[in-house]
Amino acid sequence: MADKMAFQADVNKMLDIVINSLYSEKQIFLRELISNASDACDKLKYLALTSPDIAKESGAFKIIIKPDEKENTLTISDNGIGMNKDDLIKHLGTIAKSGTADFVKNVADNGSACELIGQFGVGFYSAFMVAEKVEITTKKAGEDKAWTWVSNGVDGFEITEAKKDKNGTDIKLFLKKDEKNYVDTIYLRHIIRTYSDHIAYPIVLDLGKAGEENVNSGSALWTRNKGEITEEQYNEFYRHVSHNFDDPWMTLHFKVEGNIEYTGLLFIPEKAPYDLFQPDKKNSLKLYINKVYISDKIEDLIPNYLRFVKGIIDSADLPLNISREMLQFSPLMEKIKAGTVSRLLKELKKRAKNYDDYMKFWQNFGIVLKEGIYEDFKNREEIAEISYFHSTNDKVRLTSLDEYISRCNKDQKTIYYITGDDINILRNNPQLDAFKQKGIEVLLMNEPIDEFWPQVLPNYKGYAIKHVAQADADMSWKRDEKKADEGSLAKLCEKMAELLKSEVGKVTATEKLTTSPVSLTVENGQMSLHLERLMRNHQQQTAFASTRILEINPYHPLIIRLSEMIDDKANEDKIAEITKILLDQAKVAEGEAVSDPAFYAEKISQYILKDIA
Ligand code: ADP
Ligand code: MG
């Protein structure tokens, strides 16, 4: 009795894209199916650690590729874990992983299904790029019944009970008429070597009467010597473990010997993945214990701020007899993690010497790496050392902290920075007036994490790191311009403070401003305005909002004029109106919205009109 079932709606949408588009890289279907076969062998190998009986019928693991020219079919077989009926329905009828809707949307937008198919965990369906029908016969290890799953990729699928002696899965592709090259052994050999050479199990080409032929090297790539591995093999392995389609920006293959021995083969992608900032994004390093695949969900194998690193760690010293969940509490894991982090950081430091090259990395992952300054107590200086920032000094290149220091004059013992939403708005922030005047460089920071890491790294190589708002005292200089009268100025501040009391805590005269009449800042040591905005955007409470200070410039003609008007009662309304406009101006310069845009716009027009009338 056949069970007819429909695909989940998402699967249908995806299949529709896969089948109806013409892709130039169709041959990757074979990589995906071999990769699944290899995963299936990994799973059984792992199970067999604790229940050896379960794998006894399968013999040595291998993957067999059998072309049939007459039938125009290609069969990929493995003796791995296999699937029961529930597995078939669950894994090959629905898409469980989150992000599938993203896949459909991404492909619809960019039309690059080949690139995305592996990344989204929908590799199996790529079979329908070349096959008009797929027939799977499979038996799960340790179970009696076998099953056949058949589908044309359009009208759902059918499952019937089947006969199969041994555990494992045969995937038979009935190739489309114009896909005859996938029964050609020369071509098959070529694509297997290109895409799947690194697979740790033998991949065998079944040539019928001519016998079987081993096509790949069949040993785990990371166990081979560096000198014997070509760049292309590394890259292909990277694509396999990362499900990416690009080349790695960095490849790091190392062996640690001594107390604990382990091997790492790690990569940093050239491109940022679509989900780098999704809250549930976890690291995806694969952990092996003595070549047995354990899991890619071991928390804490690598810190979160290195979550973009792909690849594998293999250690023979980790205990095989404890559960995956318990592994992360093994003290050895802590050592492996520390060692791996320090290798990665060292390598990044080397690469940072070449600015252009390093920027390719920094533009993608710098914002994530910087989280490490905040999170990684032990390595924070090292991470700061390889971090780059915008600066008032140089409009094009980003600068490192060391480069900043090298440009400081010898009295300056502080690295100054300012935070805000937008680098270009920041450049013109009035808070920088005095720094410009004195020729002091300021780092411009616009990422949320920039609000946090300086709090835990108040000093770097003997230099204090300070927000410009905390720099008051250092920033006055002798000025001989005309200045508002002290007495009237004090009265003006008091008046303005009273008028604005619902919005600012204080109005003070400052020596810091040059061209701007006013500027907004916060009380020393309080949360910056940028951080306040970030919190508000994330609907976090701002009950502990900072005390805002409106600073006024006693050298500015506008402020001088206002202070002259302050004693005459007749000016009261005018002063009130201008005070409101000045606060709005300060907000605009800070990159904030004004509280009453219509009022602001109307007043500005009126004043402009007075000027040109
Ligand atoms: P992914 O491999 O990323 O999970 P796929 O679409 O390639 O996504 O495969 C979907 C699922 O189908 C796999 O996770 C696995 O559970 C199952 N599967 C596919 N091929 C095999 C196979 N040869 N043996 C056992 N299970 C398989
Ligand atoms: Mg897969």
Side-chain angles (χ1 to χ4, degrees), residues 529-565:
L529 294 168
H530 177 228
L531 179 55
E532 228 180 85
R533 282 194 295 279
L534 287 171
M535 309 266 282
R536 224 176 301 132
N537 291 344
H538 287 89
Q539 261 108 43
Q540 307 234 354
Q541 57 143 340
T542 44
F544 52 99
S546 307
T547 314
R548 304 185 144 217
I549 301 173
L550 182 71
E551 295 184 325
I552 64 175
N553 176 1
Y555 301 95
H556 197 282
L558 211 161
I559 299 297
I560 297 177
R561 182 71 198 106
L562 279 178
S563 63
E564 287 163 3
M565 289 160 65

Side-chain angles (χ1 to χ4, degrees), residues 230-503:
T230 64
E231 189 182 341
E232 200 29 61
Q233 284 173 320
Y234 274 132
N235 292 358
E236 205 37 64
F237 183 74
Y238 158 76
R239 283 176 214 128
H240 169 68
V241 289
S242 70
H243 292 299
N244 285 349
F245 210 65
D246 54 353
D247 285 333
W249 175 78
M250 180 170 112
T251 301
L252 183 61
H253 187 187
F254 61 92
K255 252 192 194 82
V256 175
E257 277 156 3
N259 283 347
I260 8 166
E261 303 196 353
Y262 59 97
T263 299
L265 178 49
L266 305 177
F267 305 93
I268 294 178
E270 219 167 42
K271 294 185 194 147
Y274 73 98
D275 59 352
L276 188 60
F277 296 105
Q278 282 179 7
D280 55 350
K281 169 80 178 171
K282 293 270 160 36
N283 85 72
S284 48
L285 283 196
K286 293 181 194 284
L287 179 69
Y288 287 75
I289 299 182
N290 200 13
K291 287 177 278 178
V292 179
Y293 174 63
I294 304 297
S295 171
D296 61 359
K297 294 187 180 59
I298 306 280
E299 299 231 357
D300 248 23
L301 188 50
I302 196 165
N304 220 14
Y305 69 89
L306 291 171
R307 60 183 177 269
F308 49 82
V309 175
K310 304 283 182 184
I312 66 98
I313 300 278
D314 187 351
S315 173
D317 293 338
L318 286 168
L320 265 172
N321 54 355
I322 62 173
S323 74
R324 298 173 200 193
E325 290 70 32
M326 290 308 289
L327 254 181
Q328 65 209 41
F329 301 111
S330 157
L332 292 179
M333 286 285 286
E334 197 49 47
K335 293 210 172 107
I336 292 177
K337 176 178 163 188
T340 305
V341 168
S342 104
R343 293 218 169 221
L344 279 164
L345 293 179
K346 222 173 20 209
E347 191 67 18
L348 283 172
K349 188 170 165 179
K350 262 193 237 158
R351 294 284 293 264
K353 293 203 173 95
N354 180 337
Y355 179 85
D356 291 332
D357 174 45
Y358 190 70
M359 280 306 120
K360 286 186 212 147
F361 159 76
W362 184 257
Q363 306 295 0
N364 285 327
F365 302 115
I367 177 170
V368 178
L369 186 69
K370 265 192 292 185
E371 293 172 11
I373 312 180
Y374 187 69
E375 285 168 15
D376 189 341
F377 170 74
K378 201 171 140 262
N379 295 301
R380 80 179 27 137
E381 281 241 351
E382 271 106 291
I383 301 168
E385 195 176 346
I386 51 173
S387 293
Y388 281 74
F389 306 93
H390 291 275
S391 148
T392 50
N393 179 282
D394 200 330
K395 283 209 187 311
V396 263
R397 278 175 66 115
L398 301 182
T399 177
S400 68
L401 297 180
D402 289 325
E403 288 163 0
Y404 177 100
I405 289 172
S406 73
R407 288 187 294 263
C408 287
N409 69 37
K410 66 177 189 325
D411 307 323
Q412 190 188 335
K413 282 287 167 217
T414 306
I415 297 170
Y416 292 105
Y417 72 95
I418 185 169
T419 55
D421 312 311
D422 182 303
I423 295 294
N424 289 320
I425 295 178
L426 273 179
R427 269 185 214 291
N428 300 317
N429 190 304
Q431 291 290 315
L432 299 179
D433 283 0
F435 292 86
K436 286 179 191 152
Q437 178 72 29
K438 300 181 116 194
I440 294 175
E441 179 175 355
V442 176
L443 299 177
L444 309 171
M445 304 188 187
N446 69 332
E447 282 152 5
I449 186 65
D450 295 322
E451 292 291 345
F452 300 99
W453 69 259
Q455 295 172 15
V456 296
L457 191 77
N459 288 290
Y460 176 79
K461 299 192 178 170
Y463 285 72
I465 299 184
K466 264 198 204 173
H467 194 283
V468 293
Q470 304 168 354
D472 260 343
D474 343 339
M475 280 306 140
S476 56
W477 69 98
K478 199 173 148 5
R479 302 167 71 151
D480 11 84
E481 304 135 73
K482 179 170 191 280
K483 189 177 179 183
D485 167 73
E486 291 290 341
S488 319
L489 195 61
K491 280 189 219 156
L492 178 64
C493 286
E494 202 179 316
K495 183 78 202 160
M496 290 175 85
E498 188 198 315
L499 289 164
L500 300 175
K501 67 173 179 289
S502 63
E503 295 209 53

Side-chain angles (χ1 to χ4, degrees), residues 74-85:
L74 180 68
T75 306
I76 295 97
S77 304
D78 65 69
N79 52 354
I81 184 109
M83 286 176 272
N84 60 23
K85 190 173 176 184

Side-chain angles (χ1 to χ4, degrees), residues 32-33 35-36 39 118 121-124 243:
E32 294 299 328
L33 296 183
S35 156
N36 286 349
D39 290 349
V122 290
F124 165 74
H243 292 299

